[in-house]
Short mmCIF file of all heavy atoms in Angstrom, two decimals:
data_model
loop_
_atom_site.label_atom_id
_atom_site.label_comp_id
_atom_site.label_asym_id
_atom_site.label_seq_id
_atom_site.Cartn_x
_atom_site.Cartn_y
_atom_site.Cartn_z
N ASN A 1355 -15.86 1.98 -1.72
CA ASN A 1355 -16.34 1.09 -0.75
C ASN A 1355 -17.25 0.05 -1.44
O ASN A 1355 -17.96 0.33 -2.39
CB ASN A 1355 -17.09 1.81 0.37
CG ASN A 1355 -18.43 2.22 -0.04
OD1 ASN A 1355 -19.40 1.58 0.05
ND2 ASN A 1355 -18.50 3.57 -0.42
N MET A 1356 -17.18 -1.17 -0.98
CA MET A 1356 -17.93 -2.34 -1.60
C MET A 1356 -18.44 -3.23 -0.55
O MET A 1356 -17.75 -3.54 0.36
CB MET A 1356 -16.96 -3.10 -2.51
CG MET A 1356 -16.59 -2.32 -3.71
SD MET A 1356 -15.33 -3.31 -4.70
CE MET A 1356 -16.44 -4.25 -5.77
N SER A 1357 -19.79 -3.58 -0.76
CA SER A 1357 -20.34 -4.57 0.20
C SER A 1357 -20.05 -5.99 -0.20
O SER A 1357 -19.87 -6.25 -1.28
CB SER A 1357 -21.90 -4.35 0.17
OG SER A 1357 -22.24 -3.19 0.77
N GLN A 1358 -19.93 -6.81 0.83
CA GLN A 1358 -19.64 -8.15 0.59
C GLN A 1358 -20.57 -9.00 1.52
O GLN A 1358 -20.47 -9.04 2.68
CB GLN A 1358 -18.16 -8.50 0.99
CG GLN A 1358 -17.56 -9.84 0.45
CD GLN A 1358 -16.19 -9.89 0.61
OE1 GLN A 1358 -15.53 -9.46 1.65
NE2 GLN A 1358 -15.50 -10.60 -0.23
N ALA A 1359 -21.53 -9.75 0.80
CA ALA A 1359 -22.50 -10.54 1.52
C ALA A 1359 -21.84 -11.87 1.87
O ALA A 1359 -20.88 -12.19 1.35
CB ALA A 1359 -23.72 -10.73 0.66
N PRO A 1360 -22.47 -12.56 2.93
CA PRO A 1360 -21.88 -13.90 3.25
C PRO A 1360 -21.81 -14.79 2.00
O PRO A 1360 -22.86 -14.90 1.24
CB PRO A 1360 -22.89 -14.42 4.23
CG PRO A 1360 -23.56 -13.17 4.82
CD PRO A 1360 -23.61 -12.25 3.67
N GLY A 1361 -20.70 -15.40 1.78
CA GLY A 1361 -20.53 -16.28 0.72
C GLY A 1361 -20.24 -15.69 -0.63
O GLY A 1361 -20.08 -16.35 -1.61
N ALA A 1362 -20.14 -14.23 -0.67
CA ALA A 1362 -19.91 -13.65 -1.89
C ALA A 1362 -18.42 -13.82 -2.42
O ALA A 1362 -17.61 -14.24 -1.54
CB ALA A 1362 -20.20 -12.17 -1.76
N ALA A 1363 -18.20 -13.65 -3.70
CA ALA A 1363 -16.87 -13.82 -4.21
C ALA A 1363 -15.89 -12.75 -3.55
O ALA A 1363 -16.35 -11.73 -3.15
CB ALA A 1363 -16.96 -13.59 -5.67
N PRO A 1364 -14.61 -13.09 -3.48
CA PRO A 1364 -13.66 -12.11 -2.95
C PRO A 1364 -13.71 -10.90 -3.77
O PRO A 1364 -13.95 -10.90 -4.97
CB PRO A 1364 -12.35 -12.81 -3.09
CG PRO A 1364 -12.60 -14.30 -3.27
CD PRO A 1364 -13.92 -14.41 -3.91
N ILE A 1365 -13.39 -9.84 -3.06
CA ILE A 1365 -13.27 -8.44 -3.75
C ILE A 1365 -11.76 -8.26 -4.00
O ILE A 1365 -10.96 -8.45 -3.22
CB ILE A 1365 -13.76 -7.30 -2.86
CG1 ILE A 1365 -15.28 -7.45 -2.62
CG2 ILE A 1365 -13.30 -5.96 -3.34
CD1 ILE A 1365 -15.83 -6.52 -1.51
N GLU A 1366 -11.53 -7.94 -5.32
CA GLU A 1366 -10.10 -7.74 -5.71
C GLU A 1366 -9.81 -6.35 -6.14
O GLU A 1366 -10.63 -5.93 -7.08
CB GLU A 1366 -9.67 -8.77 -6.82
CG GLU A 1366 -9.72 -10.15 -6.19
CD GLU A 1366 -8.97 -11.18 -7.18
OE1 GLU A 1366 -8.84 -10.88 -8.30
OE2 GLU A 1366 -8.71 -12.29 -6.56
N GLN A 1367 -8.95 -5.69 -5.55
CA GLN A 1367 -8.67 -4.27 -5.81
C GLN A 1367 -7.20 -4.00 -5.85
O GLN A 1367 -6.40 -4.73 -5.28
CB GLN A 1367 -9.26 -3.40 -4.70
CG GLN A 1367 -10.72 -3.20 -4.86
CD GLN A 1367 -11.31 -2.37 -5.98
OE1 GLN A 1367 -10.59 -1.46 -6.26
NE2 GLN A 1367 -12.47 -2.74 -6.49
N LYS A 1368 -6.74 -3.03 -6.64
CA LYS A 1368 -5.25 -2.63 -6.66
C LYS A 1368 -5.18 -1.12 -6.26
O LYS A 1368 -6.09 -0.36 -6.57
CB LYS A 1368 -4.71 -2.82 -8.01
CG LYS A 1368 -4.61 -4.28 -8.38
CD LYS A 1368 -4.20 -4.44 -9.86
CE LYS A 1368 -4.09 -5.93 -10.19
NZ LYS A 1368 -3.70 -6.21 -11.56
N PHE A 1369 -4.05 -0.74 -5.85
CA PHE A 1369 -3.71 0.65 -5.47
C PHE A 1369 -2.68 1.19 -6.47
O PHE A 1369 -1.82 0.38 -6.92
CB PHE A 1369 -3.31 0.89 -4.06
CG PHE A 1369 -4.29 0.51 -3.06
CD1 PHE A 1369 -4.24 -0.75 -2.43
CD2 PHE A 1369 -5.37 1.38 -2.72
CE1 PHE A 1369 -5.23 -1.12 -1.52
CE2 PHE A 1369 -6.27 0.96 -1.79
CZ PHE A 1369 -6.25 -0.18 -1.25
N THR A 1370 -2.88 2.35 -6.97
CA THR A 1370 -2.00 2.92 -8.06
C THR A 1370 -0.83 3.77 -7.57
O THR A 1370 0.07 4.07 -8.24
CB THR A 1370 -2.73 3.65 -9.12
OG1 THR A 1370 -3.56 4.74 -8.52
CG2 THR A 1370 -3.72 2.73 -9.82
N ARG A 1371 -0.96 4.20 -6.25
CA ARG A 1371 0.11 5.11 -5.79
C ARG A 1371 0.59 4.69 -4.42
O ARG A 1371 -0.23 4.02 -3.56
CB ARG A 1371 -0.54 6.56 -5.68
CG ARG A 1371 -0.90 7.19 -6.86
CD ARG A 1371 -1.04 8.63 -6.70
NE ARG A 1371 -1.33 9.30 -8.03
CZ ARG A 1371 -2.44 9.82 -8.27
NH1 ARG A 1371 -3.42 9.91 -7.31
NH2 ARG A 1371 -2.77 10.33 -9.47
N GLU A 1372 1.82 5.08 -4.12
CA GLU A 1372 2.39 4.77 -2.79
C GLU A 1372 1.54 5.58 -1.76
O GLU A 1372 1.23 6.72 -1.90
CB GLU A 1372 3.83 5.22 -2.72
CG GLU A 1372 4.78 4.26 -3.45
CD GLU A 1372 6.20 4.38 -2.89
OE1 GLU A 1372 6.76 5.59 -2.97
OE2 GLU A 1372 6.81 3.39 -2.58
N GLU A 1373 1.32 4.97 -0.60
CA GLU A 1373 0.60 5.63 0.42
C GLU A 1373 0.77 4.83 1.82
O GLU A 1373 0.40 3.69 1.91
CB GLU A 1373 -0.94 5.73 0.15
CG GLU A 1373 -1.61 6.62 1.14
CD GLU A 1373 -2.93 7.21 0.63
OE1 GLU A 1373 -3.25 6.97 -0.48
OE2 GLU A 1373 -3.67 7.73 1.41
N VAL A 1374 1.34 5.55 2.79
CA VAL A 1374 1.56 4.91 4.13
C VAL A 1374 0.94 5.90 5.13
O VAL A 1374 1.36 6.96 5.23
CB VAL A 1374 3.08 4.72 4.45
CG1 VAL A 1374 3.23 4.18 5.82
CG2 VAL A 1374 3.77 3.86 3.41
N MET A 1375 -0.14 5.44 5.69
CA MET A 1375 -0.96 4.25 5.58
C MET A 1375 -2.37 4.62 5.04
O MET A 1375 -2.69 5.75 5.22
CB MET A 1375 -1.17 3.57 6.96
CG MET A 1375 0.04 3.21 7.68
SD MET A 1375 1.13 1.86 6.96
CE MET A 1375 0.08 0.48 7.37
N ILE A 1376 -3.13 3.64 4.60
CA ILE A 1376 -4.57 3.92 4.22
C ILE A 1376 -5.45 3.33 5.32
O ILE A 1376 -5.57 2.12 5.42
CB ILE A 1376 -4.91 3.30 2.83
CG1 ILE A 1376 -3.89 3.85 1.74
CG2 ILE A 1376 -6.32 3.56 2.51
CD1 ILE A 1376 -4.18 3.23 0.41
N PRO A 1377 -6.02 4.14 6.20
CA PRO A 1377 -6.98 3.63 7.12
C PRO A 1377 -8.18 3.01 6.40
O PRO A 1377 -8.69 3.62 5.39
CB PRO A 1377 -7.44 4.90 7.95
CG PRO A 1377 -6.58 6.02 7.48
CD PRO A 1377 -6.09 5.73 6.18
N THR A 1378 -8.62 1.87 6.88
CA THR A 1378 -9.78 1.14 6.29
C THR A 1378 -10.73 0.80 7.27
O THR A 1378 -10.41 0.28 8.29
CB THR A 1378 -9.18 -0.10 5.53
OG1 THR A 1378 -8.16 0.34 4.63
CG2 THR A 1378 -10.13 -0.83 4.83
N LYS A 1379 -11.98 1.04 6.92
CA LYS A 1379 -13.10 0.79 7.86
C LYS A 1379 -14.24 -0.05 7.29
O LYS A 1379 -14.19 -0.27 5.98
CB LYS A 1379 -13.73 2.10 8.43
CG LYS A 1379 -14.45 2.92 7.41
CD LYS A 1379 -15.11 4.12 8.08
CE LYS A 1379 -15.80 4.98 7.02
NZ LYS A 1379 -16.42 6.12 7.66
N CYS A 1380 -15.15 -0.47 8.05
CA CYS A 1380 -16.34 -1.21 7.51
C CYS A 1380 -17.49 -0.28 7.80
O CYS A 1380 -17.65 0.25 8.84
CB CYS A 1380 -16.55 -2.51 8.25
SG CYS A 1380 -18.03 -3.44 7.84
N ASN A 1381 -18.30 0.00 6.65
CA ASN A 1381 -19.49 0.89 6.87
C ASN A 1381 -20.56 0.23 7.70
O ASN A 1381 -21.56 0.82 8.03
CB ASN A 1381 -19.85 1.33 5.55
CG ASN A 1381 -18.95 2.36 4.90
OD1 ASN A 1381 -18.09 2.82 5.56
ND2 ASN A 1381 -19.24 2.74 3.70
N GLN A 1382 -20.48 -1.08 7.87
CA GLN A 1382 -21.54 -1.82 8.62
C GLN A 1382 -21.22 -1.95 10.11
O GLN A 1382 -22.10 -1.83 11.03
CB GLN A 1382 -21.70 -3.31 8.15
CG GLN A 1382 -22.16 -3.41 6.72
CD GLN A 1382 -23.64 -2.85 6.50
OE1 GLN A 1382 -24.45 -2.86 7.44
NE2 GLN A 1382 -23.86 -2.35 5.36
N HIS A 1383 -19.88 -2.08 10.41
CA HIS A 1383 -19.43 -2.21 11.81
C HIS A 1383 -18.42 -1.24 12.17
O HIS A 1383 -17.31 -1.38 11.73
CB HIS A 1383 -18.84 -3.68 11.93
CG HIS A 1383 -19.85 -4.79 11.42
ND1 HIS A 1383 -19.56 -5.51 10.24
CD2 HIS A 1383 -20.92 -5.28 11.92
CE1 HIS A 1383 -20.52 -6.39 10.00
NE2 HIS A 1383 -21.34 -6.25 11.10
N PRO A 1384 -18.79 -0.16 12.88
CA PRO A 1384 -17.99 0.94 13.08
C PRO A 1384 -16.65 0.74 13.72
O PRO A 1384 -15.74 1.57 13.66
CB PRO A 1384 -18.78 1.97 13.77
CG PRO A 1384 -20.01 1.17 14.26
CD PRO A 1384 -20.13 -0.08 13.43
N TRP A 1385 -16.46 -0.37 14.53
CA TRP A 1385 -15.23 -0.62 15.19
C TRP A 1385 -14.15 -1.36 14.28
O TRP A 1385 -13.07 -1.37 14.64
CB TRP A 1385 -15.50 -1.59 16.41
CG TRP A 1385 -16.06 -2.90 15.94
CD1 TRP A 1385 -15.38 -4.05 15.48
CD2 TRP A 1385 -17.47 -3.27 15.82
NE1 TRP A 1385 -16.24 -5.07 15.20
CE2 TRP A 1385 -17.53 -4.58 15.31
CE3 TRP A 1385 -18.68 -2.62 16.16
CZ2 TRP A 1385 -18.66 -5.32 15.13
CZ3 TRP A 1385 -19.86 -3.41 15.86
CH2 TRP A 1385 -19.94 -4.71 15.44
N MET A 1386 -14.59 -1.86 13.15
CA MET A 1386 -13.50 -2.46 12.37
C MET A 1386 -12.55 -1.51 11.74
O MET A 1386 -12.86 -0.53 11.13
CB MET A 1386 -14.25 -3.30 11.24
CG MET A 1386 -15.07 -4.49 11.70
SD MET A 1386 -15.88 -5.31 10.41
CE MET A 1386 -14.54 -6.15 9.53
N ARG A 1387 -11.29 -1.91 11.90
CA ARG A 1387 -10.27 -0.99 11.39
C ARG A 1387 -9.04 -1.84 10.93
O ARG A 1387 -8.57 -2.68 11.62
CB ARG A 1387 -9.76 -0.09 12.61
CG ARG A 1387 -9.22 1.30 12.26
CD ARG A 1387 -10.13 2.11 11.31
NE ARG A 1387 -10.84 3.19 11.97
CZ ARG A 1387 -12.17 3.41 11.91
NH1 ARG A 1387 -12.90 2.48 11.41
NH2 ARG A 1387 -12.63 4.49 12.45
N ALA A 1388 -8.52 -1.50 9.74
CA ALA A 1388 -7.28 -2.01 9.24
C ALA A 1388 -6.53 -0.90 8.63
O ALA A 1388 -7.10 0.22 8.42
CB ALA A 1388 -7.53 -3.11 8.13
N TYR A 1389 -5.14 -1.02 8.44
CA TYR A 1389 -4.32 0.10 7.90
C TYR A 1389 -3.46 -0.69 6.78
O TYR A 1389 -2.83 -1.70 7.11
CB TYR A 1389 -3.39 0.56 8.88
CG TYR A 1389 -4.19 1.21 10.11
CD1 TYR A 1389 -4.48 0.46 11.31
CD2 TYR A 1389 -4.62 2.59 10.04
CE1 TYR A 1389 -5.23 1.00 12.31
CE2 TYR A 1389 -5.36 3.07 11.14
CZ TYR A 1389 -5.63 2.31 12.16
OH TYR A 1389 -6.42 2.89 13.29
N ILE A 1390 -3.50 -0.07 5.66
CA ILE A 1390 -2.88 -0.68 4.52
C ILE A 1390 -1.72 0.24 4.04
O ILE A 1390 -1.90 1.40 3.76
CB ILE A 1390 -3.85 -0.88 3.33
CG1 ILE A 1390 -5.02 -1.73 3.81
CG2 ILE A 1390 -3.20 -1.57 2.10
CD1 ILE A 1390 -6.24 -1.81 2.84
N GLY A 1391 -0.57 -0.27 4.05
CA GLY A 1391 0.62 0.46 3.48
C GLY A 1391 0.90 -0.05 2.06
O GLY A 1391 1.05 -1.13 1.69
N VAL A 1392 0.94 1.01 1.12
CA VAL A 1392 1.17 0.77 -0.30
C VAL A 1392 2.48 1.29 -0.69
O VAL A 1392 2.80 2.46 -0.59
CB VAL A 1392 0.00 1.36 -1.15
CG1 VAL A 1392 0.18 0.88 -2.61
CG2 VAL A 1392 -1.29 1.07 -0.63
N LEU A 1393 3.39 0.46 -1.26
CA LEU A 1393 4.72 0.78 -1.68
C LEU A 1393 5.07 0.25 -2.98
O LEU A 1393 4.45 -0.65 -3.44
CB LEU A 1393 5.72 0.11 -0.64
CG LEU A 1393 5.81 0.66 0.85
CD1 LEU A 1393 6.88 -0.06 1.57
CD2 LEU A 1393 6.02 2.15 0.79
N LYS A 1394 5.93 1.01 -3.64
CA LYS A 1394 6.50 0.57 -4.93
C LYS A 1394 7.55 -0.52 -4.81
O LYS A 1394 7.99 -1.11 -5.75
CB LYS A 1394 7.12 1.75 -5.69
CG LYS A 1394 6.08 2.82 -6.28
CD LYS A 1394 6.84 3.77 -7.00
CE LYS A 1394 5.81 4.88 -7.52
NZ LYS A 1394 6.55 6.06 -8.05
N THR A 1395 8.03 -0.75 -3.66
CA THR A 1395 9.05 -1.74 -3.31
C THR A 1395 8.56 -2.81 -2.41
O THR A 1395 7.60 -2.63 -1.76
CB THR A 1395 10.32 -1.11 -2.75
OG1 THR A 1395 10.02 -0.89 -1.30
CG2 THR A 1395 10.78 0.16 -3.31
N PRO A 1396 9.29 -3.96 -2.43
CA PRO A 1396 8.84 -4.99 -1.44
C PRO A 1396 9.48 -4.83 -0.12
O PRO A 1396 9.55 -5.84 0.74
CB PRO A 1396 9.33 -6.34 -2.19
CG PRO A 1396 10.61 -5.84 -3.03
CD PRO A 1396 10.33 -4.46 -3.33
N PHE A 1397 10.09 -3.65 0.13
CA PHE A 1397 10.90 -3.47 1.37
C PHE A 1397 10.06 -3.04 2.55
O PHE A 1397 10.08 -1.78 2.90
CB PHE A 1397 12.09 -2.53 1.02
CG PHE A 1397 12.89 -2.88 -0.08
CD1 PHE A 1397 13.54 -2.03 -1.00
CD2 PHE A 1397 13.23 -4.37 -0.22
CE1 PHE A 1397 14.28 -2.36 -2.01
CE2 PHE A 1397 14.10 -4.73 -1.19
CZ PHE A 1397 14.65 -3.80 -2.17
N TYR A 1398 9.30 -3.85 3.14
CA TYR A 1398 8.46 -3.60 4.24
C TYR A 1398 8.20 -4.89 5.04
O TYR A 1398 8.36 -5.95 4.59
CB TYR A 1398 7.25 -2.95 3.80
CG TYR A 1398 6.28 -3.85 2.93
CD1 TYR A 1398 5.45 -4.80 3.63
CD2 TYR A 1398 6.32 -3.77 1.73
CE1 TYR A 1398 4.67 -5.69 2.86
CE2 TYR A 1398 5.46 -4.58 0.90
CZ TYR A 1398 4.70 -5.53 1.49
OH TYR A 1398 3.81 -6.38 0.73
N ALA A 1399 7.89 -4.59 6.33
CA ALA A 1399 7.59 -5.76 7.22
C ALA A 1399 6.62 -5.20 8.33
O ALA A 1399 6.60 -3.98 8.59
CB ALA A 1399 8.81 -6.28 7.92
N VAL A 1400 5.91 -6.04 8.96
CA VAL A 1400 5.03 -5.73 10.06
C VAL A 1400 5.39 -6.46 11.33
O VAL A 1400 5.64 -7.63 11.30
CB VAL A 1400 3.53 -6.01 9.66
CG1 VAL A 1400 2.56 -5.56 10.85
CG2 VAL A 1400 3.12 -5.32 8.46
N THR A 1401 5.61 -5.80 12.42
CA THR A 1401 5.92 -6.50 13.68
C THR A 1401 4.83 -7.35 14.21
O THR A 1401 3.57 -7.08 13.98
CB THR A 1401 6.31 -5.46 14.76
OG1 THR A 1401 5.20 -4.63 15.01
CG2 THR A 1401 7.54 -4.59 14.42
N GLY A 1402 5.24 -8.45 14.79
CA GLY A 1402 4.27 -9.38 15.41
C GLY A 1402 4.29 -9.39 16.94
O GLY A 1402 4.57 -8.37 17.53
N SER A 1403 3.95 -10.52 17.44
CA SER A 1403 3.82 -10.61 18.98
C SER A 1403 5.12 -10.52 19.69
O SER A 1403 5.12 -10.37 20.92
CB SER A 1403 3.08 -11.83 19.29
OG SER A 1403 3.88 -12.98 18.82
N ASP A 1404 6.24 -10.55 18.98
CA ASP A 1404 7.58 -10.27 19.65
C ASP A 1404 8.16 -8.88 19.41
O ASP A 1404 9.19 -8.52 19.89
CB ASP A 1404 8.68 -11.41 19.36
CG ASP A 1404 8.93 -11.33 17.84
OD1 ASP A 1404 8.34 -10.53 17.07
OD2 ASP A 1404 9.90 -12.06 17.44
N GLY A 1405 7.39 -8.13 18.58
CA GLY A 1405 7.79 -6.67 18.30
C GLY A 1405 9.00 -6.62 17.38
O GLY A 1405 9.53 -5.52 17.20
#
Side-chain angles (χ1 to χ4, degrees):
N1355 74 84
M1356 291 177 88
S1357 286
Q1358 196 172 34
I1365 292 169
E1366 295 193 342
Q1367 288 284 330
K1368 290 175 182 176
F1369 297 98
T1370 54
R1371 295 197 179 112
E1372 283 201 309
E1373 189 165 352
V1374 176
M1375 308 289 288
I1376 302 177
T1378 301
K1379 67 176 178 178
C1380 173
N1381 287 351
Q1382 297 293 330
H1383 309 106
W1385 61 84
M1386 289 179 70
R1387 210 48 109 239
Y1389 302 91
I1390 304 167
V1392 187
L1393 291 181
K1394 285 182 182 170
T1395 76
F1397 302 142
Y1398 62 84
V1400 180
T1401 59
S1403 56
D1404 64 353

